[in-house]
Amino acid sequence: MAITATQTTVESAIELPDLRQENGREADSSETGPAQGPDQRLNKSVYLKIISAGFSFFVAGVNDGSIGALIPYIIREYDISTAIVSSVYGANFLGWLFAAFANTHLCQYLNLGAMLALGAVFQIAAHALRSWDPPFGLFVVTFWLVSVGQAFQDTHANSWVASAVPKGAHRWLAFIHAMYMAGCLVGPFVSTAIASAGDVSRWYLFYTFPLALGVVNLGLTCVAFRDTLELHQKTVTSESSGRTLGETAENPNEAVSRNKEATQLIKKTASTPSVWLLSLFFFFYLGSVLTAGGWVVEYLVNVRHGDLSQMGYVPAGFSGGGLLGRLLLAEPTHRFGERRMVFCYIVAAIGLQLIFWLVPNIIAASIAVSLIGFFTGPLFPTGISLGSKLFSPDIHSTALPLVFVFAQMGGSLFPIITGVVSADAGVRVLQPILVALLATTAVTWMLVPSPKSTSNTALHQE
């Protein structure tokens, strides 16, 4: 997403990229949008940005996918209950909440590349702190740091990809979200291998792996988005002649103006019903996914009496299924209708969850978990694709973070509820909670409005 130095609204922070310039050509005034023609017209710099966006999702996936596998070790290392360990999800939510409010204001001062780089720095800081076995309180704080970093990178990478290639956006969104699931697939394998090797009290050494990935992520971001790493500059126009006088340094009046613009966009976002309806869907969807991924290992160890060193790989099956689902189901979902196909996927996931619950067999449970990941995998990129059509382009930088905050609210709240309830009733409460969450996800999906054809056209023409 190219961001010019002279634009003064938040729309410039998440505006559609000028692929005419990125492809080294100037389009004439008759062109209707920035991405005329098929995807292959994109040049190397655009593909490099897509790869960078995908890698940032991979790094986030490694972090998120490892949590469920490490929770049993965290509980035993710090000698805490399931209710206390759930605080990591609370810190995660607070980080996303902070980022949602900070993002719109930061976009007044930072360009796309700078926002993405800032997100990468936050994640590096979190993993650096984790890798030296910090006290539990500081360990919880790192989840706030990493979620702020993910929020900045996920929001802007999603917005850029959704707008960069309108004719193939669903494929590129499927790609970057598949990279997230690839990270979730790698995370449990690496974390379980390190945590179960030799001295299990040194499980925290796993975080040197995402730390190294985070450094690569920052470097790749700075190279791919080097054209938008600078700060926003405003221009002053002569009131008498209307001529542009040039860029000016930041002054108090300008800061007030930028904050006022951000506040206006927040109000516009809050008054858009589709933002709240889509947020409600993500609230229950991500709540079900992260609850399943976070507690499935503890469930299999305590209820099904599985071996801890082996059960840690089960979340990898869920992530592997999600990876395949996002790669293989993107095109059928697009061709046969997003609303119809997503509803069918959720119904299939509910059936598989019932099998997981009612069939007391670890192998059957592992297969069911993988298939649940396969059918729920396309839900996130499909929801983001739908949101890019429903929301007007000028509120993307505010609406998408709000959607993500609600998603993370569900992804934090329901694992916390599961942990608190299981502290008394046992972790077997996971199954009825998951069935209820998936059923509610199906209902909320039906409440999300269908985008008007004009909305999509407007998106292409920005």
Side-chain angles (χ1 to χ4, degrees), residues 286-299:
L286 204 65
S288 64
V289 170
L290 293 188
T291 300
W295 291 106
V296 65
V297 175
E298 190 70 11
Y299 176 85

Side-chain angles (χ1 to χ4, degrees), residues 195-250:
S196 61
D199 187 0
V200 295
S201 65
R202 298 173 67 84
W203 57 270
Y204 58 88
L205 292 179
F206 156 74
Y207 286 107
T208 58
F209 176 62
L211 174 60
L213 293 178
V215 173
V216 175
N217 178 34
L218 176 60
L220 186 57
T221 297
C222 291
V223 172
F225 294 92
R226 59 186 178 277
D227 55 333
T228 54
L229 283 173
E230 74 282 356
L231 298 178
H232 275 308
Q233 297 291 335
K234 287 221 173 186
T235 59
V236 175
T237 303
S238 171
E239 294 182 359
S240 59
S241 63
R243 293 183 296 104
T244 297
L245 301 181
E247 295 179 354
T248 63
E250 185 75 10

Side-chain angles (χ1 to χ4, degrees), residues 394-408:
D394 61 319
I395 66 169
H396 277 185
S397 64
T398 308
L400 287 179
L402 181 62
V403 170
F404 293 154
V405 163
F406 266 81
Q408 289 297 327

Side-chain angles (χ1 to χ4, degrees), residues 220-387:
L220 186 57
T221 297
C222 291
V223 172
F225 294 92
R226 59 186 178 277
D227 55 333
T228 54
L229 283 173
E230 74 282 356
L231 298 178
H232 275 308
Q233 297 291 335
K234 287 221 173 186
T235 59
V236 175
T237 303
S238 171
E239 294 182 359
S240 59
S241 63
R243 293 183 296 104
T244 297
L245 301 181
E247 295 179 354
T248 63
E250 185 75 10
N251 59 69
N253 290 335
E254 183 178 329
V256 171
S257 175
R258 294 191 186 202
N259 289 331
K260 183 178 180 181
E261 290 165 358
T263 302
Q264 289 174 345
L265 285 177
I266 291 174
K267 291 180 179 178
K268 183 177 179 181
T269 300
S271 63
T272 305
S274 59
V275 172
W276 298 107
L277 292 173
L278 188 63
S279 298
L280 191 63
F281 161 73
F282 274 102
F283 175 78
F284 288 103
Y285 160 63
L286 204 65
S288 64
V289 170
L290 293 188
T291 300
W295 291 106
V296 65
V297 175
E298 190 70 11
Y299 176 85
L300 291 174
V301 169
N302 283 283
V303 178
R304 299 288 169 84
H305 308 294
D307 185 351
L308 175 59
S309 63
Q310 296 178 358
M311 294 304 99
Y313 295 108
V314 174
F318 179 86
S319 302
L323 171 62
L324 292 177
R326 291 181 178 183
L327 291 176
L328 300 179
L329 297 180
E331 199 61 33
T333 303
H334 179 71
R335 288 181 178 273
F336 297 112
E338 294 172 337
R339 295 181 61 80
R340 178 189 305 111
M341 296 304 294
V342 166
F343 183 79
C344 292
Y345 297 153
I346 300 174
V347 171
I350 293 173
L352 290 164
Q353 185 61 52
L354 289 172
I355 293 176
F356 184 11
W357 181 7
L358 301 175
V359 178
N361 182 279
I362 291 180
I363 296 177
S366 302
I367 295 174
V369 166
S370 300
L371 290 175
I372 291 172
F374 178 78
F375 285 111
T376 58
L379 269 60
F380 204 105
T382 302
I384 295 301
S385 177
L386 188 66

